[in-house]
Amino acid sequence: EVQLLESGGGLVQPGGSLRLSCAASGFIFSDHYMDWVRQAPGKGPEWVARIRDRSKSYSTEYAASVKGRFSISRDDSENSLYLQMNSLKTEDTAVYYCARGENWGGYRYFDFWGRGTLVTVSS
Amino acid sequence: DIQMTQSPSSLSASVGDRVTITCRASQGIRNHLAWFQQKPGKAPKSLIKAASNLQSGVPSKFSGSGSGTDFTLTISSLQPEDFATYYCLQYDTYPLTFGGGTRVEI
């Protein structure tokens, strides 16, 4: 059974930093692209970042709203995904989901999501 | 960025009704569109990928169609457990973008 379990959320002041983790199990983690998606209270989901697999040199993509402040990484030996968030703003307040990028026809969509971890940026 | 416009933003329907939700992309995305269902307090659940391919384990009352810029999600016979918000996602071009959602009320 595919499982994704996020952790590391909490309350942080504007300008602060936080590191989110996602523990994966039930599938071959190293074979998959992985993503972070967030959802602000009462809003729709917003894609945040993607990291490709080893065959693509772990290359990354970011939403413009977080580029230069957030960094996605992974540790295939630990089946773990990370999101380092710096210079946090109040508008970064959201539930952050870890999602698996499944390949269908050469393009990746999200087929499994974790339960999410809440990040609140407030003074 | 590719804008995804969903309509309607909300709808009310009765059990047994056929419901159709549309999603329009601001530029062509081939068939690189997915649909998700989200219930309150839960993570989104994948329903359909590549516009018309049902995700494993999803009941056949859900179906999708479309290509290019115009897409639809249809629920053939609405049941109480289908009360949820539905989102489309384009995964053709970065940044990946979601539609604004359609809230389905029973």
Side-chain angles (χ1 to χ4, degrees):
Chain A
E1 179 190 6
V2 173
Q3 290 196 355
L4 299 169
L5 184 61
E6 303 90 341
S7 60
L11 176 63
V12 61
Q13 292 188 338
S17 297
L18 212 54
R19 189 193 196 208
L20 305 184
S21 300
C22 171
S25 60
F27 65 101
I28 303 174
F29 180 76
S30 59
D31 283 352
H32 286 80
Y33 293 15
M34 295 297 297
D35 296 80
W36 287 100
V37 180
R38 68 185 180 183
Q39 189 167 26
K43 303 294 185 181
E46 176 192 16
W47 171 77
V48 172
R50 165 168 285 176
I51 187 165
R52 298 179 179 88
D53 59 17
R54 182 180 178 181
S55 72
K56 298 295 185 184
S57 304
Y58 302 120
S59 55
T60 58
E61 304 285 347
Y62 295 93
S65 58
V66 307
K67 196 169 186 177
R69 299 188 299 122
F70 289 13
S71 178
I72 187 172
S73 61
R74 62 191 294 165
D75 184 339
D76 289 350
S77 68
E78 295 288 335
N79 291 339
S80 293
L81 177 71
Y82 305 101
L83 186 68
Q84 177 67 43
M85 304 186 296
N86 299 329
S87 303
L88 282 160
K89 305 175 181 180
T90 55
E91 53 263 41
D92 294 319
T93 294
V95 175
Y96 284 73
Y97 296 101
C98 165
R100 186 176 82 164
E102 178 67 3
N103 185 5
W104 186 266
Y107 284 73
R108 269 73 173 180
Y109 71 103
F110 314 133
D111 66 338
F112 283 98
W113 302 55
R115 293 185 178 182
T117 186
L118 177 63
V119 172
T120 303
V121 184
S122 175
S123 54
Chain B
D1 297 3
I2 297 176
Q3 308 302 316
M4 304 301 294
T5 303
Q6 260 184 262
S7 61
S9 57
S10 66
L11 66 91
S12 293
S14 301
V15 172
D17 281 356
R18 180 183 182 91
V19 167
T20 298
I21 298 167
T22 66
C23 191
R24 173 165 288 176
S26 59
Q27 63 190 72
I29 58 170
R30 293 170 279 193
N31 69 335
H32 302 141
L33 183 107
W35 289 97
F36 299 90
Q37 176 194 66
Q38 187 176 32
K39 296 183 178 181
K42 301 292 187 182
K45 173 188 172 184
S46 176
L47 297 176
I48 286 171
K49 72 262 193 182
S52 60
N53 291 268
L54 208 61
Q55 186 68 17
S56 176
V58 173
S60 59
K61 61 181 172 181
F62 293 96
S63 63
S65 65
S67 184
T69 60
D70 293 309
F71 302 87
T72 61
L73 172 70
T74 300
I75 310 171
S76 61
S77 179
L78 203 64
Q79 297 301 308
E81 64 268 22
D82 301 327
F83 161 74
T85 302
Y86 295 84
Y87 295 98
C88 61
L89 162 75
Q90 72 80 17
Y91 55 94
D92 183 83
T93 304
Y94 295 106
L96 311 186
T97 46
F98 289 87
T102 297
R103 183 176 177 180
V104 176
E105 299 175 323
I106 307 297

